[in-house]
Amino acid sequence: MPSEKVLLEMRGISKAFPGVQALSEIDFTVQEGKIHALMGENGAGKSTLMKCLFGIYKKDAGEILIDGEPVNFANPRQALDGGVSMVHQELNQVQGLSIMENIWLGRFPRTAKLMVDKAKMYKDTLALFEDLDIHLDPRERIGRLSVSECQMIEIAKAVSCNARIIVLDEPTSSLTEREVAHLFRILGKLTSRGCGIVYISHKMEEILQISDYVTVMRDGHLIGTKPAAELTIDEIIRMMVGRELTDRFPPKTNRPTLDVVLRVEHLTGYYQPSCQDVSFDLHRGEILGIAGLVGSRRTEIVETIFGIRRFGSGTILKNGKPLLKHTPHSAIQSGLALITEERRKTGIFAGLSVSFNTVVVSLRSFRSRLGILQNKRIKQTTDQVIASMNVKTPSQKTRIGTLSGGNQQKVIIGRWLLENPDILMMDEPTRGIDVGSKYEIYQKINALASEGHAVLFISSEMPELLGVSDRILVMSNGRVAGIVDAKTASQEEIMRLCAKFV
């Protein structure tokens, strides 16, 4: 590397968990005013390495130096005091508190009488937002914000700590193109002030656009570090997966039929804003993508169909028969399944085992006549799901929250496949997942459709929608803006429809 000033140096970092060597002698360097991308498949060790830096995990071996001085943070508070801030992939915000309270949590300004100085907190938050060009009311309750707005708040919180080293773990996973451009402007400001940025992402176009250096990890080992200008997407993929991946999407083998398995007519949610007057057909063997900008109410469609959101008006027909009870339990009994958008918040029981998370929906089928759980069958079924979904886990007793995002998602998909659903609804199923795991999920979706299942597939990634779907339903401000054929549609055509009712 050139001889710019080194802010952070990690030498020979190793870390093991029961049954797995997560990191093996990793060297990693971040320079002043530079963006250093950290890449690898889920489970490669990227987040583990950064958690060792941030004091969440205690490293087993190696040393960490900031400005040439050894440091060994015992907890995140020490890391913040030492000039290191981290925006995690999974947001952990206090939903009942305001934006400004979440930003300054644990660092509340105090009056002379040691009371929380809310006036100063409000003023400081406004100044921070003005600097970062964020247009939100600091007094708004954070539970009312969209996922993308919450992500921007976490980035603002990191900046508020005046950190010199900022770690961003999948920062654009929930952001629109406009919000991504906004984030990049913020990163430009930070690097111009001398900050060093560690940027963890699976979005290769972004990596090559903004990074100065790229480090690739695989299975806890360092594969290499190169200037971003010397790399191509194909080279990064080869370094990540250890093999050529000539196509980002598997060849489509499904053949949609004329049989309508789900018909939605004039669907409107009860609480507004929600989806309005939404109508479409889903055919057996079809993968129907749903596109739209943040706020287009894509999620509201599948959550209303599944019974999570209260039904307003309209008709939902499954195999020609109306779904009369709009509850998740009734939806599951009718052959529907839903993989939710926010994996950690609504998709898993993070503190419980891989085994429990695998069979939780199907527990009734593992009970004996006396109502006793048949643990041997549960173990056998969990082993089958781990094998069929290629889940990387030390054991089925491992807490699922310790697995990578991609492996968590594979467990969730495997869980629903145990129910053999006629219709699988997937909301951002590949968010924050590496290219290899994405490909495996695409293959599974394709195989399901080929077997006659129908799939509703929500994604914010346009190439993904075009590569996976048969047709694409485009939402704009709660309404259907159009339905296009994925084989002939262009990204420009879909974007025009996305903006139709905005």
Side-chain angles (χ1 to χ4, degrees):
M1 287 186 181
S3 58
E4 292 109 331
K5 181 178 178 181
V6 173
L7 287 181
L8 168 69
E9 190 172 4
M10 304 181 77
R11 300 175 181 167
I13 305 298
S14 294
K15 176 65 180 175
F17 297 104
V20 62
Q21 183 69 37
L23 299 172
S24 299
E25 299 182 352
I26 302 296
D27 295 332
F28 183 71
T29 302
V30 178
Q31 295 166 303
E32 186 177 67
K34 301 296 181 182
I35 297 177
H36 197 132
L38 186 56
M39 303 193 71
E41 292 190 275
N42 287 102
K46 311 179 297 295
S47 296
T48 301
L49 181 66
M50 290 299 102
K51 286 176 180 177
C52 288
L53 165 66
F54 200 56
I56 297 173
Y57 294 153
K58 182 180 178 182
K59 64 185 186 301
D60 296 336
E63 61 177 342
I64 301 172
L65 299 94
I66 294 180
D67 288 327
E69 296 293 324
V71 297
N72 192 21
F73 302 130
N75 53 60
R77 181 69 209 213
Q78 288 186 9
L80 288 170
D81 292 340
V84 180
S85 186
M86 185 171 179
V87 178
H88 300 273
Q89 178 181 351
E90 306 290 353
L91 305 180
N92 293 302
Q93 296 164 322
V94 184
Q95 300 297 301
L97 296 183
S98 67
I99 291 173
M100 62 184 187
E101 287 169 329
N102 270 275
I103 288 176
W104 304 103
L105 191 63
R107 305 176 292 141
F108 289 152
R110 303 280 179 175
T111 64
K113 295 181 180 180
L114 299 181
M115 300 290 288
V116 174
D117 190 343
K118 289 193 174 183
K120 180 175 178 6
M121 185 161 52
Y122 178 74
K123 182 181 177 182
D124 290 348
T125 306
L126 281 180
L128 176 66
F129 283 4
E130 183 177 354
D131 182 42
L132 300 179
D133 195 28
I134 294 174
H135 304 287
L136 291 171
D137 183 352
R139 296 164 297 196
E140 179 70 74
R141 190 163 60 87
I142 206 157
R144 295 181 178 177
L145 303 184
S146 68
V147 177
S148 62
E149 288 170 332
C150 289
Q151 204 144 19
M152 292 303 293
I153 295 305
E154 283 299 290
I155 293 165
K157 182 177 180 179
V159 174
S160 75
C161 297
N162 295 317
R164 297 180 61 218
I165 300 164
I166 299 178
V167 181
L168 301 175
D169 193 350
E170 295 290 347
T172 65
S173 61
S174 301
L175 304 186
T176 65
E177 289 186 16
R178 184 183 302 172
E179 289 166 333
V180 170
H182 181 195
L183 171 63
F184 289 174
R185 290 194 296 271
I186 292 173
L187 296 185
K189 281 186 178 183
L190 294 173
T191 52
S192 69
R193 297 170 186 170
C195 292
I197 308 295
V198 181
Y199 194 92
I200 301 175
S201 178
H202 296 302
K203 297 184 178 180
M204 299 185 200
E205 292 85 355
E206 287 181 5
I207 290 295
L208 295 179
Q209 179 182 346
I210 66 163
S211 301
D212 297 292
Y213 298 99
V214 177
T215 289
V216 177
M217 295 175 63
R218 188 197 315 147
D219 297 329
H221 292 82
L222 176 68
I223 300 303
T225 297
K226 292 185 178 181
E230 297 179 7
L231 289 168
T232 65
I233 289 177
D234 287 344
E235 287 174 306
I236 294 174
I237 291 174
R238 187 164 55 249
M239 292 173 73
M240 283 175 59
V241 303
R243 62 184 188 279
E244 297 286 347
L245 196 61
T246 54
D247 295 304
R248 293 173 67 179
F249 305 100
K252 292 183 66 59
T253 57
N254 64 309
R255 296 290 182 268
T257 69
L258 297 176
D259 182 17
V260 176
V261 67
L262 181 71
R263 173 163 288 161
V264 175
E265 297 177 334
H266 309 295
L267 178 65
T268 298
Y270 182 84
Y271 296 107
Q272 296 302 319
S274 185
C275 51
Q276 305 171 46
D277 196 31
V278 170
S279 298
F280 65 89
D281 288 344
L282 176 65
H283 299 88
R284 192 170 300 282
E286 180 182 30
I287 303 169
L288 177 63
I290 304 181
L293 304 175
V294 171
S296 63
R297 313 301 170 195
R298 300 169 303 175
T299 294
E300 282 82 343
I301 295 174
V302 294
E303 289 187 347
T304 302
I305 293 171
F306 197 66
I308 293 175
R309 291 179 181 266
R310 188 169 173 181
F311 181 81
S313 60
T315 306
I316 304 172
L317 301 170
K318 165 78 177 356
N319 292 330
K321 297 179 180 179
L323 294 178
L324 299 177
K325 293 182 179 179
H326 297 286
T327 66
H329 179 70
S330 176
I332 293 170
Q333 288 185 320
S334 299
L336 277 69
L338 173 63
I339 295 171
T340 57
E341 177 182 14
E342 296 186 64
R343 179 169 56 240
R344 193 169 190 88
K345 186 185 293 185
T346 57
I348 61 171
F349 295 90
L352 298 179
S353 67
V354 170
S355 178
F356 177 84
N357 277 273
T358 299
V359 302
V360 61
V361 177
S362 308
L363 276 177
R364 66 189 182 281
S365 65
F366 292 98
R367 294 188 184 278
S368 68
R369 291 181 179 178
L370 299 177
I372 300 171
L373 285 176
Q374 299 172 308
N375 291 321
K376 184 177 180 180
R377 283 188 57 223
I378 289 175
K379 183 179 185 302
Q380 291 172 341
T381 301
T382 303
D383 283 338
Q384 290 168 5
V385 169
I386 289 172
S388 65
M389 296 302 300
N390 193 26
V391 178
K392 294 180 181 177
T393 177
S395 80
Q396 58 173 253
K397 294 180 181 179
T398 301
R399 287 187 297 111
I400 195 171
T402 65
L403 302 187
S404 67
N407 286 303
Q408 290 175 11
Q409 194 73 307
K410 289 177 185 178
V411 172
I412 294 170
I413 295 172
R415 166 206 301 169
W416 284 113
L417 295 187
L418 291 178
E419 291 293 293
N420 193 31
D422 294 328
I423 300 167
L424 179 60
M425 299 183 288
M426 314 178 83
D427 195 351
E428 301 284 8
T430 66
R431 173 176 290 166
I433 292 177
D434 64 83
V435 63
S437 295
K438 280 186 177 183
Y439 194 87
E440 290 180 83
I441 290 175
Y442 299 151
Q443 286 179 314
K444 183 61 68 174
I445 293 170
N446 200 7
L448 284 169
S450 298
E451 293 166 5
H453 301 269
V455 179
L456 274 179
F457 182 80
I458 298 176
S459 176
S460 297
E461 296 186 32
M462 208 73 71
E464 182 174 76
L465 283 170
L466 292 168
V468 173
S469 308
D470 298 301
R471 294 184 300 148
I472 300 172
L473 181 151
V474 186
M475 293 293 293
S476 178
N477 198 24
R479 291 183 282 174
V480 176
I483 299 178
V484 299
D485 189 328
K487 296 186 186 70
T488 58
S490 66
Q491 294 191 38
E492 292 76 13
E493 179 186 1
I494 294 172
M495 283 305 298
R496 281 195 297 270
L497 288 171
C498 286
K500 185 174 181 178
F501 299 124
V502 175

